[in-house]
Amino acid sequence: MHRMTSTQARHTRRAVLQAAVEAGAACAQLGSLDPGEWFREDGEGIGVWRTRSRELLRVCKGCPVLNACQELALRDGDGDQSSDELVRGGMTGQQLARSRARQTKRLAAAVAADQDTEWRELVDLTVQLHREAIKNPDKAGGQRRQAMAQAAQNTRVRELAAQVRQIRSARRTRTGWGVAA
Ligand code: SF4
């Protein structure tokens, strides 16, 4: 049986965390709570927000993927010591910022591993995109079948290009280049 090395495990950790949150997030399953509700609104009084954030923290407390969500929030750099404006992973933004400050070294290594993983994914997708774009459509099977094969190829190329664009934009935004750079 193939066993994953600890380095490989570190490099796939973010995808595992993300998949867990997507599959089990309590907040996503509560139809009445949209993602915007997890942030303090512009002009929302602190008293109203604190009452609301206590309710959000209560939802997190019962969430089956609390630990995964909290780890992602820490890796994403969510929260700020100086402003009380969000709840994620069972913590307020200020609690997340304090927790991150206590484990800077571990999180820096985790984020570096996440970004390496992302880079490899980008390279793989770019190779797949190139292969798909230059592939000759199958000439067998008549015009209708060829047209269908061509349409499927075009769809695949568009999907791969969108994935590549999304990853590139995220990397550029993180490094301060802006989405359009
Ligand atoms: S821990 Fe809270 S914010 Fe995270 S997925 Fe669960 S309910 Fe949503």
Side-chain angles (χ1 to χ4, degrees):
M1 184 173 63
H2 172 74
R3 278 183 186 279
M4 200 183 264
T5 65
S6 60
T7 305
Q8 286 169 326
R10 228 178 14 256
H11 284 272
T12 54
R13 182 76 181 133
R14 187 187 177 84
V16 172
L17 293 168
Q18 189 69 50
V21 170
E22 280 167 17
C27 48
Q29 283 153 23
L30 293 174
S32 60
L33 287 176
D34 74 50
E37 290 185 56
W38 296 73
F39 293 86
R40 185 177 171 191
E41 287 171 19
D42 287 345
E44 183 173 3
I46 192 67
V48 175
W49 165 243
R50 292 234 162 106
T51 304
R52 215 157 61 73
S53 63
R54 271 197 298 276
E55 176 59 21
L56 298 172
L57 289 166
R58 195 186 59 72
V59 174
C60 289
K61 205 169 163 196
C63 177
V65 293
L66 170 62
N67 292 340
C69 179
Q70 193 176 100
E71 177 63 17
L72 279 178
L74 291 169
R75 290 181 185 211
D76 288 347
D78 276 359
D80 183 339
Q81 290 266 27
S82 61
S83 61
D84 184 2
E85 59 183 14
L86 68 95
V87 166
R88 188 177 170 197
M91 288 189 177
T92 64
Q94 290 170 316
Q95 289 170 330
L96 282 167
R98 282 197 291 274
S99 177
R100 191 166 43 253
R102 286 194 297 271
Q103 38 186 334
T104 14
K105 208 166 155 190
R106 180 190 76 76
L107 286 169
V111 169
D114 290 345
Q115 290 175 5
D116 285 356
T117 307
E118 188 184 59
W119 175 252
R120 279 199 310 277
E121 192 185 353
L122 182 58
V123 171
D124 283 352
L125 284 168
T126 307
V127 170
Q128 283 181 54
L129 173 60
H130 181 68
R131 277 200 197 122
E132 197 67 42
I134 62 169
K135 201 164 79 181
N136 279 324
D138 191 357
K139 297 272 191 266
Q143 273 187 347
R144 187 156 179 271
R145 199 171 159 152
Q146 280 178 35
M148 283 169 65
Q150 183 67 64
Q153 184 180 355
N154 292 345
T155 303
R156 181 81 184 126
V157 166
R158 276 198 300 276
E159 285 169 358
L160 287 165
Q163 285 174 273
V164 167
R165 258 197 317 277
Q166 191 183 31
I167 295 177
R168 281 199 176 134
S169 296
R171 292 177 72 84
R172 286 171 175 168
T173 303
R174 262 201 315 272
T175 52
W177 282 34
V179 174

